[in-house]
Amino acid sequence: MINKIVIALCILISGCKGISQEKEVAMEAQKKQEKTFAVSKTDDQWRKELSDMQYYILRRAGTENAFTSELLNNKESGVYVCAGCGTELFRSDHKFDSGTGWPSFDREIDGNVAFSTDHKIGYARTEEHCATCGGHLGHVFKDGPRNTTGERHCINGAALKFIADGNK
């Protein structure tokens, strides 16, 4: 009798619609709604123009290892631009040391960063993209400096290029 109950429970559980299936449906819907960006290139064009790491992050939504970005400890005054299209994304005076291992900013340049929701690691996160080319930048969290915006834009350094003031 117990064996029949166990078997029935296994069939019932395996037949239920799981959360992972809902995520797949949501991701498919998101892909269908993908925007057309002002800078649009083929995958081959992006591969030719970007380094392997830039391509992995900007076009495949990858993440660089913590504490590996050359821009992490940059203290110069200037602007951080998209490594894919050159759009100005973050100003150096909004950069702070979050201790996370990635360049962090408390705000973006209005209108130049787009946001979406991703569920890649099992829960919802706010993903950031370049509003001009759609390149993946990183994620924004609500654990930033309380004395400013309270936001931490955690950005892959390989998604950025730095232009020092006076070099524009």
Side-chain angles (χ1 to χ4, degrees), residues 2-13:
I2 293 178
N3 287 344
K4 289 181 182 180
I5 293 173
V6 170
I7 291 172
L9 284 173
C10 288
I11 291 171
L12 180 65
I13 291 171

Side-chain angles (χ1 to χ4, degrees), residues 22-37 59-61 116-120 127 129:
E22 291 174 13
K23 287 179 198 165
E24 289 175 326
V25 170
M27 289 177 78
E28 286 176 22
Q30 183 178 357
K31 285 180 184 177
K32 288 179 185 175
Q33 294 175 350
E34 285 193 26
K35 293 172 86 178
T36 303
F37 295 97
R59 307 319 308 168
R60 295 290 174 240
S116 63
T117 302
D118 91 45
H119 295 89
K120 292 176 191 157
E127 186 173 3
H129 307 271

Side-chain angles (χ1 to χ4, degrees), residues 5-158:
I5 293 173
V6 170
I7 291 172
L9 284 173
C10 288
I11 291 171
L12 180 65
I13 291 171
S14 66
C16 291
K17 183 178 178 185
I19 292 173
S20 63
Q21 292 170 332
E22 291 174 13
K23 287 179 198 165
E24 289 175 326
V25 170
M27 289 177 78
E28 286 176 22
Q30 183 178 357
K31 285 180 184 177
K32 288 179 185 175
Q33 294 175 350
E34 285 193 26
K35 293 172 86 178
T36 303
F37 295 97
V39 173
S40 183
K41 301 177 183 181
T42 67
D43 195 54
D44 285 341
Q45 289 172 315
W46 285 119
R47 282 187 183 276
K48 288 176 186 171
E49 293 179 19
L50 301 171
S51 71
D52 289 343
M53 182 59 76
Q54 289 170 330
Y55 177 83
Y56 170 67
I57 291 167
L58 288 166
R59 307 319 308 168
R60 295 290 174 240
T63 302
E64 67 191 1
N65 291 328
F67 301 100
T68 60
S69 172
E70 295 176 7
L71 297 176
L72 180 62
N73 297 312
N74 181 28
K75 307 260 191 269
E76 290 183 67
S77 181
V79 65
Y80 293 85
V81 302
C82 176
C85 69
T87 297
E88 293 186 356
L89 302 171
F90 303 97
R91 300 201 190 287
S92 61
D93 51 342
H94 298 140
K95 188 173 187 238
F96 68 98
D97 183 1
S98 65
T100 61
W102 289 277
S104 297
F105 305 85
D106 69 356
R107 69 195 80 170
E108 77 282 3
I109 295 175
D110 285 337
N112 293 357
V113 176
F115 302 91
S116 63
T117 302
D118 91 45
H119 295 89
K120 292 176 191 157
I121 62 172
Y123 61 90
R125 296 184 299 170
T126 302
E127 186 173 3
E128 296 185 73
H129 307 271
C130 173
T132 304
C133 72
H136 169 77
L137 303 171
H139 294 86
V140 62
F141 303 96
K142 298 289 184 187
D143 60 0
R146 291 183 186 187
N147 62 335
T148 61
T149 64
E151 294 181 346
R152 173 174 55 95
H153 297 257
C154 188
I155 307 300
N156 290 285

